[in-house]
Amino acid sequence: MSAFRVAGPGVPHQEPQVAPPRHRRGPSARRPRPAGSRRWYTPWPYLLAPLALLVLFTYVPVVDMFVYSLTDWDGLGPVRNFVGADNYVDLFTRPRFFQVLTVSLFYLAGSAVQMVVALYFATILSFDIRLRNLFKGILFFPYLVNGVAIGFVFLYFFQPGGTLDTVLGAFGVEPRLWLGDPDLVNTSLAGVSVWRFMGLNLVLFIGAIQSIPPQLYEAASLDGASRWQQFRFVIAPSIKPIISLSAILAISGALSVFEIPFIMTGGSNNSETFVIQTIKLAFNFNKVGLASAAAVVLLAIVLLVTWLQRLLVPDERVEQS
C-alpha cells in the first residue's frame, strides 16, 4: 500500500512511521530448532504404553511357555521338575504328533480358494456398480459373527437330513455324512473356514485397490485395456504387498486352526488339528510341559514358513504414478 493518504484537496497526508519492535531476548524469542536436532527420546513416551502391553501380553507369555516346555508340570500341582529337552525329544520321536499337520493342507487349499474369491469380488466391487455397498456388507458380515455361533450354525447345516441335504436332494443328490465321513469332514470344515474369513481378505483387497490412483485406470482405458487387462497390469502389481500379507495370514491360520473343527467335531473322524491335539495334551492328559513344547514347535514352524515366504517373495516397493 502507499504510505500516503489524501486528507484534503491536493493535500497528501503521510502516515506516521512506526518503528518495528525490537526483539527482546528471552524464552519466547529463541530461534526454532532445526528439524535434525530434535531429541532422540521424544517419541518414546508415546510408545511406552503400547510397548508395555505388547511385552506383557505377548512376549512374557511366550517366555513362560518356553519355560514350561522344559518341565514336566501337569498344570495343577506346584511342583515343576526340570526335564530339559525331554519333551522335545518325545515330540520328535513320535511321528503321530506331526501327522495331524496333514489336516492343515485342507485349510491351506481353502485359504487359496478364499483369496481368489475375495480378490474377484474386491475387484468387481471397486468399480462403480449398483448396490456395491450392500454387497460389501453382505460379504463382510460372516467375519463379524462369533466363531462359536458359526460352528453351531454349520453343525445343523451339515447334519443328516439338514439344510445341505435338503437343498442337494432337490437335484437328486443322496444324503451324506458330511461330518461323519473321514473323507468329507475336512473338506466340509475347510469350506466353513472359507465362508467365514473371506470378508477379512475382501476388506484388505478393497482398501488396497481403492488406494490406486485413478489416473492409472484412465490411462489404461485410453489405451483400450479391458477389465481383465486392467486387473493384470494395474491392480495386481499395485496390491502385491497386500496379497503377500494375506498369504502369510493364510498359512499361519491354516497351521493353527482350532475353533471350527473343535466345536463341530471335537477333532474326531480324522479332523484333529495340531492345536486341538495340543489342547488335549494340556487339559485332558494334564501334560502341560509336553503341550507347551508342542506350542513352541508350532510357533517355530509358523515363523520359519513366514521367513521362507519373505525370502522367496520379498516385498517390493510399488511406485504408483
Side-chain angles (χ1 to χ4, degrees), residues 156-157 159-175 178:
Y156 293 101
F157 180 79
Q159 70 178 355
T163 305
L164 183 59
D165 284 340
T166 302
V167 173
L168 295 179
F171 298 94
V173 180
E174 297 181 357
W178 300 102

Side-chain angles (χ1 to χ4, degrees), residues 6-7 37 50 66 106 134 156 166 181 183 198 237 284 288 300 306 314 319:
V6 177
S37 65
F66 179 73
F106 290 90
L134 175 62
Y156 293 101
T166 302
D181 189 348
D183 296 330
M198 188 188 69
N284 291 3
V288 175
T306 303
E319 297 292 342

